[in-house]
Amino acid sequence: EEVSKLLALKAQQGSDKDEKSSGKFVLKTAKGTRDFNPRQMVIRQQAFDKIIACFKRHGAETLDTPVFELKEVLTGKYGEDSKLIYDLADQGGEILSLRYDLTVPFARFLAMNKVGSIKRYQLGKVYRRDNPAMTKGRFREFFQCDFDIAGPTDPMIPDVECVRVVTEILDSLDLSEHIVKINHRKILDGLFEACGVPDTQFRAICSSVDKLDKSPWEEVRKEMTDEKGLAPEKADQIGQYVLRSGQDDLVEQLLADPKLSLSKSAIEGLEALKLFFRYAELYGVKKRVKFDMSLARGLDYYTGIIYEAVLTSILYIFLYIKRQSYFISIFLLDQNPEEGVGSIAGGGRYDNLVALFDPKAKAVPCVGVSIGIERILAILENREANLKLRTVETQVYVAAAQKNLLEERMKICAELWDKEIKTEMSYKANPKLLGQLQTCEEQGIPWAIIIGQSELEKGVVKLRHVPSRQEEEIERSKLTDVLKHKLNASIV
Amino acid sequence: EEVSKLLALKAQQGSDKDEKSSGKFVLKTAKGTRDFNPRQMVIRQQAFDKIIACFKRHGAETLDTPVFELKEVLTGKYGEDSKLIYDLADQGGEILSLRYDLTVPFARFLAMNKVGSIKRYQLGKVYRRDNPAMTKGRFREFFQCDFDIAGPTDPMIPDVECVRVVTEILDSLDLSEHIVKINHRKILDGLFEACGVPDTQFRAICSSVDKLDKSPWEEVRKEMTDEKGLAPEKADQIGQYVLRSGQDDLVEQLLADPKLSLSKSAIEGLEALKLFFRYAELYGVKKRVKFDMSLARGLDYYTGIIYEAVLTSILYIFLYIKRQSYFISIFLLDQNPEEGVGSIAGGGRYDNLVALFDPKAKAVPCVGVSIGIERILAILENREANLKLRTVETQVYVAAAQKNLLEERMKICAELWDKEIKTEMSYKANPKLLGQLQTCEEQGIPWAIIIGQSELEKGVVKLRHVPSRQEEEIERSKLTDVLKHKLNASIV
């Protein structure tokens, strides 16, 4: 028996070897991951800058956690999605997994450092062994931009601020229209209770409801009854509610609903949303909010309000048909257009997560939102596809008009670097002048210094304004001062 | 024999299981990793900003690659250190590993995208299953800040620019004195050749030489002879060279050396360093460079010049004795003070790495340098330990002087956010004025708006300048304009 175990162990290791030796070497990134080229980095950084500016505008500080955690930290936090967690190989030592989101590590951080109150943002990559659909902006390695408010507060004040943060960001990215769907876990729990779902099945049925954004009710109902063993009449009762959506009017209707109003949990959730809509009005985001009873969110740890932001404009569809046909599929296949063009942010309240990590189970109430940038970047990259975009910031190019001026060019570069002027030159010892000037024009470098033997003997250099091709002679000794002055004047 | 192999396999796996079952759940980050709290993030971001500014000053664009790669991409690139690569668990699908540095993924990117020429920088986390010594700034997850110049150039021009970049960065971080040790792989190869080391052992003996920064010659010699089977007299011959260091004077001596000058490889390397010193003079970094024949660098892929920057000032030792005793150990135990306080950057030329990935084995010559920030951050965090550092950038705090003003506060916040003013308020419905003003002072928020019922009825609010405690009345309708004006005037 001992030997059979060992053989099994070996077989397990053997399988890697087979795969390794059978496949030829393929030059690619891992499935579901991508490189960012310099142009994509410029677009990404511009988006990050706007996102971070908004987070700072709301008083958040930032922190960073490792890319992997002890596997135990992640275990039992993600419900059915736990199967998507990437584990590290057991190479001796600790058992580790790649982070699945930024929320659980944040909760671990709060418990570990006994932080009872913080407003923090974090941008970082997270990892999910999902079936990637990269043309739809769904990756295995992707960025999340998180904003969370932790600590005791009066009800709903931070919850509505999270929605405000999302709408500010989506507006600042100029992504056309969006809505934020909201729901409340207590309403869902109350609904399940009122429809006679046993307590132990709440999370499982909740997972089924969560699929309504991708599947029709009939399929979801089938999953509830066939896979999860819910009585068909109970499923039908649920069906009468979860397809409804509205605003505070729907809240009022449900508060008066004879069945729901019997559930204490439902009443609490509905009262909370009532307050939410009042504050949303004050924060100027009410028109962006839709109370959608089918919104459930897959993750286990939510305890109160839950959000999901979707882009709603179908303008993109027509805009991108012209250019790249696959872009149509992003938006048409992914979701019914009037239902929005795919989730772009999500979040909610999770009041019990920190307590799971605290040795004394001390709770720190938290609410937060996570913005996914992959779909946003797909839109931005496509929108700016024909735009000229500088990927370097070089201000001055030091060129030679003749041979044997390498050392002189090097001296000038060193001088300009000393003055913190962004400067480049050719890496050839004797480059041709035309090629050097072409580099300036192609790269959008605004100024070129052109040196020649006779000019150097006279103690001057030529300064060329690349866009206008105007040239002037400058005293060599005053070169950096003149450049500093010109660069300050024209903020290039 | 088969069984003994299997038993060894099991023993290896068993040890982890023991660790798993014996230990209770411990609230910690994975071994060798760390969180960055908001204060540490501010310091880190300031350092990154300076590093990126320098990279941009030298005309670099940036890119990003995934945190993991196909394992094959990393295989065979790191010599003896390959055992430190983190593998992902085989969960079906591809066999993946965490990146060990940014250089190999960069080379993979160049081959995959057929990029023949680029100057790029990249900041990212890399992973090594090393024995962490976190008090010494040695982690399993750590940042590298890389600058690389790829593409054909005339000799040594980009190579010396990399040193210039390192010295600019270390100067801008105000890290006191540093030197950049250099050597050349061709000199080492020529030396091994001249001392009669067989070709096949060059890399192994090179790895031994690389340990001279941590071990005395006797130990390194023992490793060469006992472990690697080198004849003692050959080891002794090597020993006569590798302990020498100097500048271009040493280059000249070695060019005249009867034994070395028989090696074509050594001559080529020495001529290259001669040129290097000439250019280093022009770039104003010659005084920072030390030609150190014991510098070997562990990695397999270097083909030309190699660098390593070390901090040399022993000021830190005295400075930090006062404050935190462990800081002494960082610098005293890590390295002999006159030898520098530990490596802080490294790099070199790797002309054949890209060809390994290219289907047609097309070579792209590259040279680059990698700056490690963990030790730098340890120094900066300690230096600024007593400094007051803002971790939020909030400009205005909206406070209430009485109860029942929550909705009014929310309206004002929304207005200020609309105008992109960084604004916060208390999350309590009825906070005490004193507490609100304390928050402003503690957080260094420069302006507070104080609203009261009677003022609101008069159509005014109070604006308090927190540092001076001066207050003035502002018309409610002109509030955002007045604030915008004050904030622009005093760039907070």
Side-chain angles (χ1 to χ4, degrees), chain A residues 8 21 76 100 161 173 190 223 246 252 304 351 392 399 404 428 490-491:
Chain A
S21 57
Y100 182 89
E161 186 172 350
L173 290 169
E223 182 182 309
E252 294 299 343
D351 285 348
V392 295
N404 299 322
K428 289 183 190 158
S490 68
I491 307 292

Side-chain angles (χ1 to χ4, degrees), chain A residues 102-114:
Chain A
L102 301 177
T103 310
V104 170
F106 173 56
R108 192 264 309 145
F109 176 92
L110 295 183
M112 203 170 121
N113 296 284
K114 302 194 192 318

Side-chain angles (χ1 to χ4, degrees), chain A residues 391-393 424, chain B residues 55-56 58-62 119-121 147:
Chain A
T391 56
V392 295
E393 297 178 10
E424 283 187 274
Chain B
F55 292 158
K56 287 185 174 171
H58 287 264
E61 45 199 342
T62 190
K119 202 169 351 174
R120 88 89 177 74
Y121 74 90
F147 174 88

Side-chain angles (χ1 to χ4, degrees), chain A residues 166-227:
Chain A
V166 170
T167 60
E168 276 184 33
I169 286 171
L170 296 183
D171 284 343
S172 76
L173 290 169
D174 204 10
L175 285 175
S176 175
E177 287 310 301
H178 63 271
I179 55 163
V180 182
K181 300 185 202 173
I182 63 161
N183 198 358
H184 198 291
R185 275 283 163 96
K186 286 191 173 172
I187 298 177
L188 284 168
D189 287 351
L191 168 66
F192 298 149
E193 188 191 337
C195 297
V197 179
D199 285 18
T200 51
Q201 279 204 286
F202 278 15
R203 286 286 79 80
I205 297 301
C206 197
S207 281
S208 300
V209 170
D210 192 45
K211 289 168 187 154
L212 277 172
D213 62 338
K214 296 201 176 76
S215 312
W217 166 247
E218 292 68 36
E219 271 176 42
V220 170
R221 184 183 180 283
K222 199 161 182 295
E223 182 182 309
M224 287 180 179
T225 55
D226 297 7
E227 282 178 42

